[in-house]
Amino acid sequence: ALTSANRSVLQNYVNGLIAVGGTYHDVGMIWGTRFISPTGIFASENNAAPNGMPISRHIIFMTDGKMAPNPGIYGFQGQEYLQGRVGSTNTTELTARHNRRFQEACAAARARNITVWVVSFGTSLSTQLQNCASGDKAYQANNATQLHQQFQAIAQQITRLRISQ
């Protein structure tokens, strides 16, 4: 079940995260969609708002890295080099396969009436990221000030924002 957290609990969690590479955009999009989809494993929590009104669903997908799967690390599907679940141990082909999966995950989210916003932070806004977004909802921020501005612009366009983790 989805739970809520107060600001200090969330801040402590985020402060404890350690970046080690191995960026997988497809995994983030898949889980973002699962968390807020009106169907699937969390459907009972996403059918309607507590007041019975329909939910306007939004995913704000932010990344600070390019797609960078690594066949040698233990990732979300095991160790690709040993298990081969994505179907390749060649890094170039592995990246291409994950990019295709990312595009499919983005399309699946949009097909569920989820508005997809994309923000690249400190990295270029790639074609894959632009294509993931719903229409013109892709932004690039090169520093904290621009990031704040981009999130303000997004917030102004969303009338009822429900943040889930």
Side-chain angles (χ1 to χ4, degrees):
L2 298 174
T3 60
S4 61
N6 66 38
R7 184 180 186 95
S8 65
V9 170
L10 182 60
Q11 188 65 56
N12 288 336
Y13 175 78
V14 170
N15 290 345
L17 295 175
I18 300 169
V20 294
T23 300
Y24 290 85
H25 294 154
D26 50 337
V27 178
M29 183 53 65
I30 289 166
W31 276 104
T33 303
R34 283 178 179 163
F35 280 134
I36 67 169
S37 178
T39 61
I41 59 177
F42 297 108
S44 65
E45 298 184 40
N46 288 302
N47 289 326
N51 62 2
M53 298 296 292
I55 296 173
S56 175
R57 293 174 170 79
H58 299 264
I59 291 175
I60 302 173
F61 182 88
M62 186 178 88
T63 184
D64 65 350
K66 294 181 170 85
M67 180 76 82
N70 182 330
I73 64 172
Y74 188 82
F76 74 104
Q77 290 186 314
Q79 189 178 27
E80 185 59 30
Y81 184 78
L82 297 175
Q83 287 139 338
R85 291 187 174 135
V86 178
S88 177
T89 57
N90 172 292
T91 303
T92 301
E93 176 62 22
L94 190 62
T95 302
R97 287 177 185 234
H98 279 284
N99 277 326
R100 284 192 300 272
R101 289 164 55 110
F102 176 58
Q103 293 304 306
E104 291 297 323
C106 296
R110 293 189 310 267
R112 286 173 172 78
N113 243 358
I114 297 170
T115 301
V116 179
W117 305 79
V118 173
V119 178
S120 66
F121 179 57
T123 188
S124 63
L125 188 60
S126 69
T127 301
Q128 287 86 10
L129 292 172
Q130 290 174 353
N131 290 341
C132 178
S134 299
D136 62 349
K137 295 179 176 17
Y139 299 89
Q140 180 175 341
N142 296 318
N143 55 50
T145 300
Q146 289 179 354
L147 183 63
H148 180 74
Q149 291 169 345
Q150 300 300 3
F151 273 93
Q152 288 293 332
I154 292 169
Q156 289 174 0
Q157 296 177 61
I158 299 173
T159 57
R160 292 177 300 267
L161 180 61
R162 173 184 158 210
I163 298 175
S164 64
Q165 59 183 27

